[in-house]
Amino acid sequence: MFKHQEDWEGGANECRGAGGPIHIRGPAILIQRAAFLEAAKQMGFPILDDVNGPMRAGAGYINRTSPATRHE
């Protein structure tokens, strides 16, 4: 259901949809966020490429929605 709604900037895959009305893009990577992930890694948590992928414990960046007409 959710995959049909997504327009993931990286294209469709097993966990993501493309062509839907809700545009999804990757996170803005800031120093604080990188430090958080490094701390999680040091504590033994796996770093996840996509936190919306298969459910498992770990840390990763959260993706965000963005209007189709807005680019940063």
Side-chain angles (χ1 to χ4, degrees), residues 1-39:
M1 177 178 159
F2 294 107
K3 286 175 61 172
H4 291 80
Q5 296 295 315
E6 287 186 335
D7 186 19
W8 172 238
E9 70 179 357
N13 62 35
E14 66 181 56
C15 298
R16 294 285 183 179
I22 302 172
H23 301 279
I24 310 291
R25 62 184 171 159
I29 299 173
L30 303 174
I31 293 171
Q32 299 90 335
R33 293 177 186 156
F36 175 83
L37 286 188
E38 181 59 30

Side-chain angles (χ1 to χ4, degrees), residues 2 7 17 19 34 38 49-50 56 69:
F2 294 107
D7 186 19
E38 181 59 30
D49 291 330
D50 187 347
R56 60 181 188 230
T69 56

